[in-house]
Amino acid sequence: MSKFTLGWIAAAALLAAPLAQAQSTAKLKVGLMLPYTGTFAALGTAIENGFRLYVTEQGGKLAGREVEFVKVDDESDPAKATDNVNKLIKRDNVDVLVGTVHSGVAMAMAKVAKDSGTPLIVPNAGADAVTGPMCAPNIFRSSFSNWQPGYAMGEVVAKKGHKNVVTITWKYAAGDESVRGFKEAFEKGGGKVVKELSLPFPNVEFQALLTEIAAAKPDAVYTFFAGGGAVKFVKDYAAAGLKKTIPLYGAGFLTDGTLEAQGADADGLLTTLHYADSLGTPRDNAFRLAYAKSFKLQPDVYAVQGYDAAQMLGIGLAATKGDLSKKAEFAAALEKARIDSPRGAFTLSKGHNPVQDIYLRQVSGKENKLIGVASKALADPGRGCRM
Ligand code: PHB
């Protein structure tokens, strides 16, 4: 190599060094792709609130980079999902994607994230595939897999001695997978799912299906609904007179962030989830107080998942000094992290899904009160994940 070439390389290196540094102190663009309209609108807002609360607690910066948000309302519409996520990446040049609530939309996000290498943190959607067959070094989840609360409830309902159960849910990934998780544990425990009822997302015309449940007279019903749909289902179940005769169990989304609207119709319901309103730990108490002060609202599971998505981003950025191009270091930091969540500390499984306690909760006085731990440190099996 000539002296001239060497000199040129040295000069280029000198020029590149300040540029590289500048990159990791520039504003960090976070693309928030969440539902702000439709049956999951309140869930999207709670996730954003939780995320912002953590960033504010860090002085508005993560690893020295000021955080800036670009928001998209995904409308929980899978048909618009690929366009929406491509806009965030190509038009808005976001550094990281955070989203979303709906499993079908999240799967489209995961596909684009996997192909483009853009880091993605999923702050709700439980689509098993995201941390299963679609798992990737740059995809992480701060919430749960649909299998997790379903599986935990299957064990609870079997232990209660119920034998015949009817399930009812929306016909899409989240509903199907929640029921599949329930069925796996319930049938292992000696029960039988005798009928699987469903209606298209986000329909709420439950009447005909409730009539079928009344006619089938099962020992119990297991359900997955969330948001506005969960409010209406719980009210309709009670109005149909079924609450008095056939016990209703659900994944905890049935009664999370919904109790004000459900009122007495939700009283006594038992659900399983990775959060409860009365954990009483110093960590959760501090979170709940800060959230209530900031937003004049009580937090729910969605707020916690948003908060933890920001914590996870902070952990990855701290390990890479704010440089998201260091993908292996970013992933390694999260893979060995113990995330100090208000729900209780959790780690990530090999597919990057939380390994966490699933609580049994009961509705009482507008709260999901902690009854006990239904399943300790439950890990999604991550079926189909090769990383
Ligand atoms: C989902 O689509 O994965 C989903 C939506 C709302 C929830 C939970 C899961 O509350």
Side-chain angles (χ1 to χ4, degrees):
M1 211 180 282
S2 75
K3 262 189 192 166
F4 174 79
T5 316
L6 277 174
W8 189 87
I9 290 171
L14 273 177
L15 276 174
L19 271 181
Q21 246 173 18
Q23 197 205 353
S24 46
T25 51
K27 277 193 182 174
L28 180 80
K29 261 196 181 183
V30 175
L32 285 181
M33 186 161 147
L34 292 166
Y36 294 104
T37 52
T39 199
F40 291 156
L43 289 59
T45 300
I47 289 168
E48 178 179 343
N49 288 348
F51 196 100
R52 284 183 184 272
L53 177 60
Y54 183 76
V55 173
T56 302
E57 288 176 356
Q58 309 310 305
K61 290 184 177 177
L62 296 178
R65 295 181 69 175
E66 204 178 309
V67 177
E68 177 183 283
F69 294 98
V70 185
K71 288 167 54 169
V72 170
D73 177 7
D74 67 37
E75 304 168 54
S76 295
D77 185 351
K80 297 180 183 160
T82 302
D83 276 355
N84 279 332
V85 69
N86 275 325
K87 266 186 223 150
L88 284 173
I89 294 175
K90 294 189 181 134
R91 183 194 63 191
D92 302 321
N93 284 310
V94 300
D95 297 300
V96 55
L97 291 163
V98 175
T100 186
V101 169
H102 182 286
S103 273
V105 177
M107 283 192 279
M109 293 183 79
K111 167 129 194 17
V112 175
K114 191 167 179 158
D115 293 348
S116 66
T118 312
L120 166 64
I121 303 177
V122 180
N124 181 69
D128 292 346
V130 167
T131 54
M134 303 176 84
C135 76
N138 60 318
I139 298 177
F140 304 88
R141 186 149 52 196
S142 65
S143 51
F144 60 92
S145 74
N146 290 320
W147 178 91
Q148 282 177 311
Y151 188 87
M153 189 47 106
E155 290 187 333
V156 169
V157 175
K159 277 192 203 125
K160 284 194 178 292
H162 296 307
K163 293 293 174 216
N164 300 315
V165 163
V166 170
T167 63
I168 177 165
T169 188
W170 281 312
K171 186 81 209 142
Y172 82 115
D176 293 346
E177 292 168 359
S178 182
V179 165
R180 210 180 300 147
F182 172 83
K183 190 169 165 173
E184 184 182 330
F186 181 57
E187 298 200 338
K188 216 189 279 174
K192 178 103 193 103
V193 170
V194 293
K195 192 174 268 195
E196 296 184 27
L197 301 172
S198 64
L199 73 173
F201 175 87
N203 290 9
V204 290
E205 287 78 41
F206 301 120
Q207 215 47 55
L209 299 173
L210 293 173
T211 305
E212 265 194 72
I213 291 173
K217 295 195 177 61
D219 299 336
V221 168
Y222 173 76
T223 189
F224 166 90
F225 287 110
V231 170
K232 180 147 189 304
F233 182 75
V234 163
K235 292 189 99 35
D236 287 3
Y237 196 84
L242 291 172
K243 192 171 172 224
K244 289 196 283 295
T245 52
I246 306 173
L248 176 65
Y249 300 94
F253 314 108
L254 187 68
T255 57
D256 229 273
T258 56
L259 292 175
E260 283 301 326
Q262 288 164 334
D265 289 340
D267 263 348
L269 291 181
L270 285 168
T271 63
T272 41
L273 202 63
H274 46 289
Y275 191 56
D277 291 320
S278 55
L279 293 176
T281 59
R283 181 72 180 98
D284 190 45
N285 290 347
F287 165 76
R288 294 184 75 89
L289 190 64
Y291 190 93
K293 266 196 191 157
S294 293
F295 306 109
K296 314 285 174 254
L297 275 174
Q298 286 306 310
D300 54 22
V301 70
Y302 309 105
V304 172
Q305 294 167 171
Y307 187 83
D308 291 340
Q311 289 208 71
M312 286 166 64
L313 180 58
I315 289 168
L317 284 167
T320 57
K321 302 204 168 40
D323 183 355
L324 276 168
S325 69
K326 294 185 174 155
K327 292 186 186 204
E329 288 97 321
F330 186 93
L334 280 166
E335 283 161 7
K336 63 169 192 274
R338 202 169 164 272
I339 295 138
D340 187 19
S341 171
R343 78 188 80 171
F346 67 85
T347 56
L348 295 178
S349 64
K350 79 170 192 309
H352 297 165
N353 187 68
V355 177
Q356 56 194 342
D357 292 350
I358 306 292
Y359 303 108
L360 179 64
R361 313 108 46 87
Q362 184 162 38
V363 177
S364 160
K366 304 264 169 80
E367 278 201 2
N368 287 289
K369 290 250 160 70
L370 178 68
I371 300 290
V373 176
S375 199
K376 184 93 196 131
L378 186 64
D380 180 88
R383 292 169 187 135
C385 169
R386 311 248 173 286
M387 246 202 289

